[in-house]
Every structure is written in structure tokens, then in C-alpha cells.
């Protein structure tokens, strides 16, 4: 799975947290079969919430690509893709990584 | 003795604080410490020694507390990359102003509740008088002038929202979280920290900000003379423009006057940063609400 945060490939300690792109911290989780680096468990939880929503609402299967734009304050625009289709949405998280706002964006 | 800006742990030096933060972030992946680093310094890891230097410069300079608060505010909201809400206020659309109205009603109501707690918790007459005057201006209105709260509602009505809708709309979750932060401070920290947390927020509309390095004002002052905005919008903006310069300076002077120990000053700084963080989140909530009227504002997120 390729994860892009604000234009850069992320997911390792060197490249940055798979949600926020930060390189502080030392938390790893296996998600969709990929061992991904996160700065903390809250970012990991938020990322898993993104995956779940992309699968549930967007009917995606094996997610191959996720593009995340934004940050904690602004909220984030997400584009997730599997081999056949993509799903785009806006999401905002609480301090605990729970979704507090979600809007579907135009999905063609 | 410096304190950790996240958990307020007291240690002997900034080097010790730097080691503590680095350990909490990199060994324990503690979300609070990691988030603080991400939001205040950089999301890219730096060496312990550099972190120590950064912390020293950030917390020790400038020496004067009121100036320190102003500087931190301006660099967060008005420096080379001003906050998107401040940018939106240079030419506010109907959606931006309605987003302001619907969220700010909750902010202002909470504002006077928190100020009341400062009054309850202090024995200083000048502080009590200052806060009661502020509450009157914001919530009751004085000398025959409507309150800031009333002017906000009138602005909303003039832009097409009924009073019923304004009063029955719940705050967005981000506004709620920010309000909870300010309430937590009021209920758990000394009155002087609460006072600093709240009145540092009034720097937002302070006319003198450009003297301290701000690139823009809270809104484009030309709006006050423009025929593109109605009387109610101008009345609301003018009130803040004229009031907050006095409010802010006086409050900061009182805080400086009663912050008489190093420990008090350290704690005020940590609390102010938590408050500014809540403000950052709250200002985005206004934009988020504005998106309900103008979906194209989603472009702000992409920038």
C-alpha cells in the first residue's frame, strides 16, 4: 500500500508517520498486511478509521493507495483507491483519533 | 526551574526538559508529547541539543511576560503564513461571516462563564473590576450600547439567519473541544493562568499587532468604510476593533503585575500555549461551519 501525506510518501520512521508525516515517535502497526510507522497510537487509530470508512462507504476492497492532504486543525482530504475504483472524502479527528466530521467529496 | 510544556514536570534545566520530551516522544510514543513537538517545533525530529536550544529561546525570550504572550500569538496566527480564518476575514463572504456567527455565539457564552470564574477565584479588586467590565461589554452592553454578543446575533440576522436558528444551532465538535479546553483551564488552573489563557485570545483583534510583527490585521479595515458590507456587519467588526486594543493591553498588564514568581510565569506560558492551540482549532471550526454555506471553501484545506 502506498501512503502519501501532503505530497510525500510516508510509512517508515525515516519517511514519517502514515497519518501526519511526523518522524517523532516509535509506534508500528500492521494494517492491511503492511507494517506502518506512526508517531503515536492516536495517529494509528485515526488511520485505521480512514481505512474502515473507505471500505465501508467507498466499497473499496484491498486498498492500494491512500493520499492524505491537510492536518489536525484543518481536517484532511482523503483519496483511497483499490485496483478498480477510488473514494474521496473529508475527515476531521478528535484529540483521541475518533472521527468527528466526515463529508463525502465528489466521487466519479 | 523550567517545566515541561506538555505535562508540567519540573526539572533542573532545559537540557533535562529536552531529554524528558525526547524520551516521552521517541521511547514511549506518548501522543501528547509527540503532538506538542509536531505542532510547536516541527514534525521532523531534531537532535536533543537542538531541542534544548529551541526550548530555551522559545520560553525565555522575550523576558517580559506580556511581550512573550504577544510574540507567541503573532507568530502562530499572523506571521508569514497567517491563519486561514484571518486570511478569509480580509474579504469575508456571507458564508464566512455566518460560520463566525454560529460558532462564536457559543464561544462568547462560554467566555463570560469563564471570566466569572476568574472573578470568583481572585481577591484582587482591579482584576474583579476588569473582568466585570469585560463581561458587561461582551454580554450585557454598557452606556446604552448593545453587547458584543447582541451585535454578533444582529450580524447573523442581517445575513439571513433567524435568531431562532442562531440560538438553536449546536456548536461543531471542534468548537466544543476548544470550549472544553478553556473550561478545563478555568476549573483546574489558578485564576491568573485562566486570565492569561482567555485574554491572550483578544490579541486576535488588537489594532497594534502590526507593531509586533503581524503581517495583516484581523480583517481588512477598509471593510468599515465599504458599501459591500451592511451596517450590522460593520457594527460588529468595529466594536471588536475598537474594544480589544484596550482589553488586551490592560489584561496583559494585570497578568504581568500578579505573575510574581518564576513558577507562576512558567505555568502561565504553558497554559497560554494550550489556549492558543484551542483557538487554532476553534478558528478552523468557523471555516468548517462556513463550508456548509459555501462548499467551495474546502479549497482552504487543500492549500
Amino acid at each position: 500500500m502506498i501512503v502519501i501525506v501532503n505530497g510525500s510518501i510516508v510509512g517508515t520512521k525515516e519517511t514519517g508517520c502514515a497519518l501526519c508525516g511526523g518522524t517523532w515517535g516509535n509506534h508500528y502497526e500492521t494494517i492491511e498486511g503492511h507494517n506502518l510507522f506512526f508517531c503515536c497510537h492516536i495517529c494509528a487509530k485515526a488511520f485505521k478509521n480512514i481505512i474502515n470508512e473507505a471500505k465501508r462507504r467507498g466499497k473499496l476492497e484491498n486498498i492500494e493507495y491512500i493520499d492524505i492532504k491537510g492536518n489536525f486543525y484543518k481536517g484532511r482530504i482523503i483519496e483511497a483507491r483499490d485496483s478498480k475504483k477510488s473514494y474521496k472524502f473529508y475527515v476531521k479527528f478528535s484529540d483521541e483519533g475518533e472521527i468527528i466530521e466526515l463529508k463525502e467529496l465528489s466521487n466519479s | 526551574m523550567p517545566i515541561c510544556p506538555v505535562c508540567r514536570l519540573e526539572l533542573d534545566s532545559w537540557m533535562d526538559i529536552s531529554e524528558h520530551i525526547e524520551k516521552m516522544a521517541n521511547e514511549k510514543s506518548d501522543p501528547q508529547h509527540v503532538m506538542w513537538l509536531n505542532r510547536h517545533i516541527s514534525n521532523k525530529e531534531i537532535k536533543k541539543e537542538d531541542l534544548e536550544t529551541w526550548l530555551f529561546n522559545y520560553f525565555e525570550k522575550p523576558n517580559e511576560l506580556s511581550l512573550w504572550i504577544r510574540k507567541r500569538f503573532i507568530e502562530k496566527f499572523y506571521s508569514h503564513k497567517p491563519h486561514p480564518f484571518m486570511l478569509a476575514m480580509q474579504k469575508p463572504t456571507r458564508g464566512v461571516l455566518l460560520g463566525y456567527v454560529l460558532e462564536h455565539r457559543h464561544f462568547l457564552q462560554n467566555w463570560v462563564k469563564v471570566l466569572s470564574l476568574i472573578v470568583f477565584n481572585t481577591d484582587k479588586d482591579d482584576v474583579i473590576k476588569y473582568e466585570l467590565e469585560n463581561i458587561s461589554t461582551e454580554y450585557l452592553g454598557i452606556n446604552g450600547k448593545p453587547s458584543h454578543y447582541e451585535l454578533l446575533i444582529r450580524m447573523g440576522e442581517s445575513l439571513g439567519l433567524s435568531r431562532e436558528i442562531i440560538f438553536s444551532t449546536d456548536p461543531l465538535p471542534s468548537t466544543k473541544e476548544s470550549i472544553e479546553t478553556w473550561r478545563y483551564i478555568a476549573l483546574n488552573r489558578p485564576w491568573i493562568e485562566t486570565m492569561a489563557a482567555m485574554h491572550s485570545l483578544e490579541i486576535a483583534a488588537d489594532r497594534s499587532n502590526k507593531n509586533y510583527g503581524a503581517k495583516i490585521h484581523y480583517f481588512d479595515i477598509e471593510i468599515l468604510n465599504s458599501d459591500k458590507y451592511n451596517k450590522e456587519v460593520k457594527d460588529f467588526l468595529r466594536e471588536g476593533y475598537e474594544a480589544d486594543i484596550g482589553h488586551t493591553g490592560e489584561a496583559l498588564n494585570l497578568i504581568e503585575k500578579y505573575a510574581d514568581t518564576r513558577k507562576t510565569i512558567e505555568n502561565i506560558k504553558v497554559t497560554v500555549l494550550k489556549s492558543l492551540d484551542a483557538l487554532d482549532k476553534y478558528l478552523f471550526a468557523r471555516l468548517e461551519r462556513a463550508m456548509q454555506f459555501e462548499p467551495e471553501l474546502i479549497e482552504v484545506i487543500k492549500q
Side-chain angles (χ1 to χ4, degrees), chain A residues 13 15 20-27 39-42 72-75 77 90 92 94-95 100-101 103, chain B residues 25-26 29 31 34 37-39 42-46 173-174 177 277 280-281 284 288 300-303:
Chain A
K13 173 77 178 164
T15 57
C20 71
T23 59
W24 297 99
N26 194 24
H27 183 90
C39 61
C40 65
H41 70 88
I42 290 178
F72 170 77
Y73 300 107
K74 289 180 177 180
I77 292 171
Y90 166 79
K92 209 165 179 183
S94 70
D95 287 341
I100 55 172
E101 190 75 33
K103 285 188 187 79
Chain B
N26 284 342
S29 290
V34 169
L37 289 163
N38 281 345
R39 292 176 194 176
S42 161
N43 69 354
K44 300 297 170 209
E45 201 176 341
I46 59 172
S174 297
E177 281 194 350
D277 202 42
D280 199 341
K281 189 193 290 182
F284 272 111
E288 202 182 319
V300 171
I301 313 295
K302 293 180 186 167
Q303 283 162 15

Side-chain angles (χ1 to χ4, degrees), chain B residues 156-223:
Chain B
E157 286 181 306
S158 78
L159 295 169
L161 285 187
S162 69
R163 219 161 249 261
E164 289 69 32
I165 288 178
I166 295 169
F167 281 101
S168 62
T169 304
D170 288 334
L172 286 173
S174 297
T175 298
K176 227 184 238 176
E177 281 194 350
S178 295
I179 285 175
E180 277 164 17
T181 299
W182 291 312
R183 292 183 67 77
Y184 179 88
I185 291 169
L187 291 167
N188 294 283
R189 304 299 308 169
W191 67 264
I192 193 165
E193 286 181 40
T194 308
M195 194 175 180
M198 301 314 284
H199 295 295
S200 59
L201 307 180
E202 288 182 311
I203 295 171
D206 191 319
R207 264 187 284 176
S208 67
N209 281 344
K210 283 194 175 174
N211 302 339
Y212 300 95
K215 301 288 179 221
I216 55 171
H217 182 63
Y218 184 47
F219 59 88
D220 181 355
I221 295 154
E222 288 307 309
I223 291 172

